[in-house]
Every structure is written in structure tokens, then in C-alpha cells.
Amino acid sequence: MKDTLGIIFEEGTDAGLGTLTSKRSLAAVPIASRYRIIDFILSSMVNSGITNVGIITQKNYKSLMDHLGAGKEWDLNRKIGGLLLIPPFSYSEGLTSEKGELSELAGALDFLEKSPQKYVLLSKSHLIGNLNFNDAFEEHKNSNALITILYQKLEPKSEISGLKNRFFIDTDESERIKEIKAYSSTNESNKISLDIYIINKEYLIYLIRDGLASLERGMFAEVISRRLNHIRVKGYEAKDIVARIDSIKTYYQANMMLLEKDIREKLFFNPGLIFTKVKDEAPSKYLESAVVKNSLIADGCIINGYVENSIIFRGVRIEKGAVIKNSIIMQDAEIRENGILEHVILDKEVIIRHDIRLTGQESYLVLINKGAIV
Amino acid sequence: MQKKELIALILAGGQGSRLGALTKSVAKPAVNFGGKYRIIDFPLSNCTNSNIDIVGVLTQYQPLELNSYIGSGQPWDLDRSFGGVYLLPPYMKAEEGTWYKGTANAIYQNINFIQMFNPKNVLILSGDHIYKMNYAKMLEFHKKNDADATISCIRVPWEEASRFGIMETDEDMRIKEFYEKPANPVSDMASMGIYIFKWEVLKKYLTNDEKDPDSSNDFGKNIIPKMLHDKQKMFAYKFSGYWKDVGTVFSLWEANMELLGTKPLMNLFDKSWRIYSKNPIQPPHYASSESEIVNSMITEGSVVFGKVENSIISSGVKIGKNTHVENSVIFPGAIIGDNCLVKKAIIGERTIIEDDCKVGVDDFVDNQAVSKMCSDDIVLIGSDQVIKAKSSIAKNVMVE
């Protein structure tokens, strides 16, 4: 896929992750003990052979910049191509209210025009998956479509949650897309768009310019939907495991699904490895009173308490008598003696003092802000 | 050209023959340590943390793995546009080329490399010790004394002193006498094999030493005694901290065990003095519902279904169900099957121990000879071995 460049952009609306995204973009939200959400889609691109990736940032992108650096861990610190962070684009025309996604993509116009590649793989940043785009790309090249949209089939009656802003597509027998519709309760299609697009670059440039000129609003899927009568858009079914993060609930589920062996092995190792920033922490240390059951634990932790069904990030301290169940504990948190946490998400650097008890429910998780002392 | 204050040279060519199967295909500095490190990570990280940005690594024996491990030096922040890490194997010169004959000869053969940076001082290190040391402080001491050479030294137990180079100093720490491996040591101050020399002085001694056909071209045996004899200003720099020569199977095992516990002798969790290493790309480690892990260190990419006690588990290791591992060091990628009992063992990289095995349990097993590399009941299994199901490997046995 040397002929394809990657663009990752963030959904314009509220990410839905409460305080987890109050000071960082969705792409930079920590997940799975040692990753950030963007690591999965970015690694998937790199593993598919893409060597030139632009990431369009939204406000509060310090955390994302800090994480990505020059792209070394993704092998994207290249002389030719590599990683480019594209800061938010502002308009001299004073266009501020309700920008459409096309205008967000406008920041990447320069990058698109100057890159030699002919195709663009465009993805949003909220997907957790280990994908290889080569087959989809081959099909796109061999079809005469301008755009290919990757979709997944939802199981009938599968739980429909967190589907705001999600789009369903209808295809004919040749996989040509007939309709793109936002989810509604009367929805008939089970083909949900992954918000991953393979587009001929010249056409994307044209779309952005056209959209800017006419102040076109709406999400990118809607922009394409309006043009379905004029251009050829195809669907491609992706069969990989893909989780969409758009609420605290989906975020929690995406973490917890990694406790299942099959999902873990697929998501971390197949078809490629997931890269992330290296922190040089020592191996985690278990002390005399440590009991750990069915949990994922990153390096740099010192554990002397009880941990069950939980996701523990780097550098966490769990003291004697502390109990952690069904929880997500982010980097450098400290749980002091006899602290008890159930169904809790701790953002980074939280301190839970001794004898403190926090209990949430699976349907109502307790979320503690970064740096809080409880 | 501006003079560089200090550059470092790490002697990493040693075979480490007393480590048996562990150094069969890698040089001693490349031997795994502490779950995610290799021995050379310690001197390299010490250099980085001491703000030394030019480091030459002299390799000779089985350099392939060491070379690819060090690579551009990026994990130690030594991938610099100016300076950084250099791998220095022996090479052919116009008239002739030879292997590195001794520690001093190895530096002699790299005079041109050192001259490129024209440093005021050179720091000579060996690549086979586990310790954390601020070389900048030693340099300060060296400069304060206007010394021609400064040798870092540490107190060792008297009964072990005859294994080391022993120094006798005056009250200002100026070295009066130096005895290489004395039979009857007069002091317990042992050389750590860490030297800072004024480059101009060392260059002269290296060149003269090379002309002496009787010399074994060794710092401890030749250069240091000669300099002392010539009344050069030589000082001993006292180091008090953890320092371990991991030259034998037992000391390597022991050094790993000394990482464990609430107050370990060697603390790897010190954020002000991080030990850097090349991190494998691995997910967090997974401890299953049946697992029991006590007083151990476990790194990313490993999966534990059994019981682990007082052990070091490296990346990508799998410990099977109903398996019990204690007092052991498991190297990266090793797989231990179900229902095994593993005691006091070092298990090499990618080695597979199939189901129902006993390692280090039986005192004697037919056709298994006790290895002279192993002691204190330690079992050593080399890399890429396969131990068939239901086997027993006796104490003090080496498998390679």
C-alpha cells in the first residue's frame, strides 16, 4: 500500500467519554493497560504498509503530541513521508459555528496535495481493532469506485448501544452502496459503517474544496451520502474484531473484552503487532500479599493487594489490603492500604487513600478525574 | 575542534565462558537479566544518566546479537547526530589486523576512534557488571585531584579479595600499591574495572605497552602497575552501592533474586536513575483466574496460568496450568507447559518445557552429569531447547 497515505481524524462532536476527554482528545485516551486509542488504527495502517500518515488534531492535542512524538515507535520517523500532526484549521472567513467534517479535513489539504500517493485511507480515531487493509485496497483499485467504505455486519438483534452518529449502509449485489443512513430505530440494514474510507486522493481534494466553497456541513458519511447518485461508492465487509469507543460504556467493554484469550491474541498479535510509546518501566513487582486473578497488568507496577478482572496500567501501586475488582486503573495511580474499588475507572495519577471505598455498577461506572486524591 | 571532556568505552568482547550455555551463542554483555534487560543495559544507562553522549562498545566474541540489540542506540537515547553509540569490532589495518588481545590492546586498536573526538579523559568500563553509578561524580573527583588515572573501587569481603585487583591508598585516596589478584590481600578495596584516564597519558602508555612483546596487554596486569611504577598520579574513587559481577551461573541467578522484595538490593524502580532497554513490542502481561504470583517480577507479554514464587518472568513467557515455578529466572519467550515443577532454574530464551516435567527437583537422574558451571542446586537450560514431556532434569545440571 505504498501508494496510499493515511489520514486519521477525530469526530467533531463530543467524544462521550466524560472527563476522560475533557483535557485530551479521544485518540489519546489510555486503553488496555499501556496503549492509547489511536495506537490501534495507527498500527493497523503501518502494518498494512502505509508509510505516510497525517493526523488531524482537535483542540487539546498536547496529550496526543506527547504520545506520538516523531512517530518513532510506529516506525514513522521517516525522511520520506512518516508522521505529520496537523493542528486544527482555522478560517479567515470567520466560519465558526457548526463546522462540518469536510472543513476539519481542510487542514490536511496541503498534506494531501504535496504527498505523492494516489489513494487515501481515511479513518476516524475511535476504533479499536487490528486490521489489515490490503485486501480492501486491492478491491478498491480493481473496482472503478471513487470511494470504498469498510463496514461490518451486526448480528441480528445484537445490542444496539452507543450508535449515535453511526451510519448504516445498503448495498446491492455488487457491493455498490445505494444508501447511507444515520442510525434510527427503524433501521433495516445491519451493515454498520466503520468510518474507514479508501478514497482516490484527487477526489478527496475535490470534495474538500467543493465543501469549503459551499460551506457544506455534516459528517463525512453524510457528505458522501449526498453524492451517491453521481459517484460510485462501494462497500467492503471487514471481518475483524472492531470496537467503537463512543461512550464510557463502550470504553469499558473494549477494555474488558481483552481479558478473553481469543480476543486478546487476535487484537494484540494478528495480523500485526500494536505499537505504542515506550516508557522504560521495570517489570512489575508482586510482593508477598499479592493476589491477581484474570487481569492485564503493564510494567512498572508494585502490587501487594487483591486484583480481579481488572486492567492495570503502568506504574500503579496497590498496597496491602487494597481490593480492586472489575476496574480500570490508569498510569501511576496509587491505591493505599485497604482501599476498595469496584467498577471504577481511575484516570492517571489518582491517589485512593487508605480505607476508602468506591463502588460503581457495571451499568454505572464511577469515573475519577486525573490527579484526584480521594 | 573543541575538546570533549569525557567519552566512554565499554569492553564488551568477553566470552563469559563460566556462564556455560547462556553464552554459547551470545557475548556475556548480551545475556538477559531482570526480565527485560541485558547486562550491557546497565553501563549504557549509567552513561546516559551521567550525561555521557559518546560511547564506544568494543565487541569481539559472538557480536551478532549484541550488535543488533544496540543498533542505533535509540533505547538509551544514544542515537545522536553528533556522537552517540559506536560499535567497534576489531578490523583489518593496512599492514595487519588482529583480534583484541587483551583489555588494553582493545583500546589501543581504537586509538584512531578516540582521537576523532580528541577527549581530555576516557572512561573505560566493562560490559558485565550490574550496578548503578554516576560517572560524572567520578569525573569530578578525577579532575579535582588532577589525576592521571582514577580507579573506581568497592569494599569486598576479605575472603573474596584475592579474586580482584586490590588497592592500597593513602588518606587522600592516592593509590600507593596495586595488586592484581593477590594471594594475601593487604586491603579489601577492590578495583571495579572502571577507570578514568587522561587521554594523553593513557595513549602514551598504550603505545609503549604495545611495543612490549612480554606484556599481556591488560589494564590490571600491565598498564596500571606500569603507571604506578612511574609515579603517575593515580587515585582510588570509593563507590558504595550495589555492584555485582555476574560472571558465574550462581552470581547471575543471585543478582536476579536480589531484584525481588520490598527493599531489594538493586532497585529498578528508581525513576531518577532509570535503566533503559530495548522494549519488545508486547501487550500487558496476563494473570489468569487460577494464577498465584508471589514475590516475583513479571514483564509485558507473559501469560501466567500457574503458580510463580520468588521468580523473574521475562517477556513472552508462558507458565502453564497447575505448574509451579519457584526461585527461578525464565528468559524471554520460554514456554513452560502444564503440571510442571521448576525449582531454582535459569531457563534460556525460547526454550520449551513440555507438560509434566520436573526441573531442579531430583538430586540425581540417570545419565545426567552434574555440570561444573552450575552450583548450589541451580539448573541451567540453554536457549532453544526442548525438554520432552514427563522428563526430569536433576539439580546442578546444564542442558545445552
Side-chain angles (χ1 to χ4, degrees):
Chain A
M1 291 184 75
K2 292 269 182 230
D3 214 14
T4 309
L5 61 88
I7 289 186
I8 300 173
F9 73 114
E10 195 134 300
E11 207 145 88
T13 49
D14 168 40
L17 288 190
T19 56
L20 289 181
T21 45
S22 64
K23 285 187 178 142
R24 54 166 92 86
S25 53
L26 177 66
V29 169
I31 190 164
S33 290
R34 61 190 294 272
Y35 302 90
R36 305 277 184 149
I37 287 176
I38 198 169
D39 291 339
F40 288 85
I41 191 72
L42 188 56
S43 300
S44 295
M45 286 184 176
V46 170
N47 290 335
S48 302
I50 295 175
T51 56
N52 193 11
V53 181
I55 296 173
I56 302 174
T57 58
Q58 293 270 12
K59 56 178 186 177
N60 298 337
Y61 56 92
K62 185 229 107 194
S63 175
L64 187 63
M65 275 177 66
D66 188 24
H67 178 66
L68 295 170
K72 158 87 185 86
E73 275 89 359
W74 298 266
D75 201 17
L76 287 173
N77 57 339
R78 301 291 186 89
K79 185 166 195 163
I80 301 162
L83 183 75
L84 179 70
L85 276 174
I86 302 166
F89 190 68
S90 78
Y91 299 87
S92 50
E93 294 91 15
L95 227 181
T96 51
S97 63
E98 232 190 275
K99 292 187 294 181
E101 285 187 343
L102 274 184
S103 54
E104 272 155 35
L105 289 170
L109 265 178
D110 243 23
F111 171 64
L112 285 167
E113 282 168 343
K114 286 180 182 159
S115 299
Q117 286 84 358
K118 281 212 285 270
Y119 302 93
V120 180
L121 184 93
L122 185 65
S123 172
K124 290 195 175 174
S125 55
H126 66 282
L127 299 173
I128 298 297
N130 189 344
L131 302 129
N132 189 301
F133 303 114
N134 285 309
D135 291 346
F137 180 67
E138 280 310 308
E139 281 209 14
H140 176 80
K141 265 206 313 201
N142 295 334
S143 73
N144 48 1
L146 286 173
I147 303 175
T148 296
I149 302 180
L150 273 66
Y151 70 85
Q152 281 199 310
K153 281 188 185 153
L154 286 186
E155 295 294 318
K157 296 211 176 114
S158 67
E159 195 193 349
I160 307 284
S161 70
L163 288 179
K164 75 176 164 125
N165 298 328
R166 298 283 79 90
F167 289 86
F168 283 80
I169 61 176
D170 258 335
T171 54
D172 65 14
E173 57 287 344
S174 68
E175 286 279 34
R176 179 164 176 177
I177 295 178
K178 293 292 177 201
E179 203 178 22
I180 303 174
K181 265 169 76 175
Y183 170 76
S184 74
S185 52
T186 58
N187 177 60
E188 281 173 5
S189 167
N190 68 336
K191 293 174 180 169
I192 184 169
S193 163
L194 284 177
D195 282 317
I196 299 175
Y197 309 88
I198 298 170
I199 312 177
N200 293 16
K201 189 180 80 178
E202 291 309 320
Y203 187 69
L204 179 62
I205 292 172
Y206 160 77
L207 264 185
I208 295 170
R209 290 202 184 288
D210 195 34
L212 276 184
S214 61
L215 307 181
E216 186 168 349
R217 304 234 156 98
M219 302 184 69
F220 193 69
E222 294 171 307
V223 169
I224 296 173
S225 167
R226 292 177 197 126
R227 290 166 174 79
L228 281 178
N229 289 332
H230 316 299
I231 60 165
R232 233 182 138 80
V233 181
K234 290 200 72 171
Y236 178 88
E237 188 188 350
K239 297 207 166 83
D240 312 81
I241 302 161
V242 179
R244 284 168 286 270
I245 312 285
D246 50 12
S247 63
I248 293 287
K249 188 175 175 187
T250 49
Y251 170 76
Y252 180 78
Q253 286 168 344
N255 275 286
M256 291 301 162
M257 74 180 182
L258 294 168
L259 295 176
E260 281 169 47
K261 182 168 174 272
D262 295 345
I263 294 183
R264 194 169 61 235
E265 282 172 3
K266 172 79 185 69
L267 214 53
F268 287 137
F269 297 106
N270 276 311
L273 298 172
I274 305 299
F275 308 100
T276 191
K277 185 178 174 182
V278 165
K279 296 265 199 217
D280 290 293
E281 296 281 0
S284 277
K285 188 175 263 190
Y286 288 66
L287 300 177
E288 290 298 336
S289 315
V291 179
V292 178
K293 306 276 176 204
N294 191 37
S295 296
L296 280 174
I297 298 178
D299 274 355
C301 298
I302 299 181
I303 302 172
N304 204 18
Y306 183 92
V307 181
E308 188 176 358
N309 303 332
S310 294
I311 309 291
I312 311 292
F313 283 70
R314 295 186 268 213
V316 170
R317 301 284 182 273
I318 300 170
E319 294 186 0
K320 197 174 176 178
V323 176
I324 295 165
K325 286 182 184 170
N326 304 308
S327 295
I328 297 170
I329 311 294
M330 288 189 203
Q331 203 177 311
D332 293 332
E334 283 179 37
I335 295 93
R336 303 257 164 92
E337 280 186 25
N338 305 319
I340 296 178
L341 304 176
E342 264 182 73
H343 288 107
V344 172
I345 299 174
L346 296 190
D347 204 329
K348 288 166 73 172
E349 295 148 22
V350 169
I351 296 175
I352 302 292
R353 287 178 300 172
H354 57 83
D355 299 318
I356 297 286
R357 185 189 191 104
L358 291 174
T359 319
Q361 301 293 324
E362 189 164 358
S363 54
Y364 198 90
L365 299 151
V366 176
L367 173 57
I368 306 294
N369 295 353
K370 181 174 174 179
I373 300 175
V374 181
Chain B
M1 186 181 162
Q2 197 194 340
K3 263 191 186 287
K4 197 81 193 163
E5 188 71 47
L6 182 70
I7 73 169
L9 291 152
I10 302 180
L11 298 162
Q15 182 183 354
S17 51
R18 286 175 302 157
L19 287 174
L22 295 175
T23 48
K24 200 175 171 188
S25 61
V26 299
K28 183 163 147 192
V31 169
N32 302 80
F33 182 79
K36 65 185 291 188
Y37 307 94
R38 291 175 188 256
I39 296 169
I40 198 164
D41 287 332
F42 290 81
L44 279 176
S45 300
N46 286 340
C47 283
T48 300
N49 290 331
S50 306
N51 292 320
I52 296 170
D53 56 7
I54 296 172
V55 181
V57 179
L58 282 67
T59 62
Q60 173 156 284
Y61 171 80
Q62 293 279 17
L64 189 61
E65 196 155 327
L66 190 59
N67 290 357
S68 71
Y69 182 70
I70 292 172
S72 67
Q74 190 275 337
W76 306 270
D77 201 21
L78 287 171
D79 54 334
R80 304 295 179 88
S81 298
F82 306 100
V85 71
Y86 295 80
L87 288 160
L88 304 169
Y91 58 94
M92 288 303 295
K93 287 110 195 154
E95 298 88 37
E96 55 159 1
T98 56
W99 295 106
Y100 293 151
K101 285 179 285 182
T103 50
N105 174 258
I107 305 293
Y108 171 80
Q109 290 202 36
N110 285 290
I111 282 180
N112 287 340
F113 167 79
I114 300 167
Q115 209 55 52
M116 260 167 41
F117 303 100
N118 193 21
K120 285 184 195 151
N121 301 291
V122 292
L123 170 67
I124 312 284
L125 303 169
S126 65
D128 41 15
H129 295 144
I130 303 293
Y131 65 112
K132 296 191 284 193
M133 179 173 172
N134 190 342
Y135 305 130
K137 284 190 178 159
M138 182 175 169
L139 177 67
E140 231 171 78
F141 178 82
H142 174 78
K143 281 163 66 180
K144 193 187 82 197
N145 294 318
D146 190 31
D148 295 310
T150 301
I151 302 174
S152 184
C153 62
I154 190 166
R155 278 226 141 80
V156 294
W158 278 96
E159 62 272 20
E160 286 179 29
S162 55
R163 286 175 39 216
F164 295 91
I166 293 294
M167 279 168 274
E168 206 183 343
T169 64
D170 66 16
E171 59 274 22
D172 297 326
M173 296 307 285
R174 184 157 177 173
I175 301 171
K176 294 197 300 194
E177 283 298 336
F178 183 92
Y179 309 94
E180 180 71 7
K181 297 181 181 155
N184 301 303
V186 293
S187 136
D188 60 349
M189 295 304 288
S191 163
M192 297 161 68
I194 298 168
Y195 315 106
I196 295 179
F197 292 99
K198 269 189 192 152
W199 173 232
E200 287 308 322
V201 176
L202 178 65
K203 195 164 56 176
K204 194 177 82 196
Y205 276 89
L206 288 176
T207 313
N208 290 337
D209 181 64
E210 195 58 26
K211 288 179 194 148
D212 177 0
D214 298 329
S215 171
S216 49
N217 309 117
D218 184 272
F219 277 104
K221 287 184 202 138
N222 308 105
I223 302 285
I224 307 279
K226 185 83 175 67
M227 284 179 77
L228 263 180
H229 179 261
D230 294 351
K231 303 269 186 288
Q232 297 284 1
K233 273 178 96 175
M234 301 176 76
F235 284 81
Y237 173 74
K238 226 185 214 170
F239 175 78
S240 56
Y242 183 83
W243 176 81
K244 188 121 185 162
D245 181 346
V246 285
T248 63
V249 173
F250 177 76
S251 63
L252 181 73
W253 173 85
E254 191 179 50
N256 274 285
M257 292 299 126
E258 282 164 355
L259 300 170
L260 298 174
T262 320
K263 288 200 171 66
L265 291 172
M266 179 69 179
N267 182 12
L268 294 172
F269 285 77
D270 178 3
K271 289 195 175 170
S272 66
W273 204 268
R274 270 186 208 272
I275 303 302
Y276 302 99
S277 67
K278 191 169 171 180
N279 282 247
I281 297 145
Q282 292 278 4
H285 77 259
Y286 176 74
S288 83
S289 301
E290 312 89 67
S291 72
E292 274 181 67
I293 306 168
V294 181
N295 194 32
S296 295
M297 283 178 88
I298 303 199
T299 191
E300 289 166 348
S302 52
V303 187
V304 179
F305 293 97
K307 185 171 179 185
V308 175
E309 216 177 329
N310 305 331
S311 295
I312 305 278
I313 309 292
S314 311
S315 62
V317 167
K318 189 187 157 220
I319 310 284
K321 284 181 186 144
N322 200 28
T323 280
H324 188 158
V325 175
E326 60 179 51
N327 302 318
S328 296
V329 183
I330 317 294
F331 280 4
I335 293 175
I336 303 177
D338 298 341
N339 310 313
C340 294
L341 182 53
V342 178
K343 289 182 169 186
K344 227 176 172 182
I346 300 177
I347 312 286
E349 283 185 83
R350 300 171 300 274
T351 281
I352 297 170
I353 297 179
E354 296 182 349
D355 296 348
D356 308 302
C357 285
K358 287 189 288 181
V359 176
V361 180
D362 296 323
D363 289 334
F364 298 101
V365 173
D366 285 348
N367 301 324
Q368 286 182 12
V370 166
S371 165
K372 64 177 189 295
M373 303 291 173
C374 299
S375 65
D376 302 82
D377 295 346
I378 295 171
V379 178
L380 172 59
I381 301 182
S383 50
D384 299 298
Q385 303 295 309
V386 178
I387 307 296
K388 293 277 173 225
K390 298 192 170 75
S391 316
S392 173
I393 309 289
K395 294 172 181 173
N396 295 315
V397 165
M398 177 167 84
V399 179
E400 64 174 332

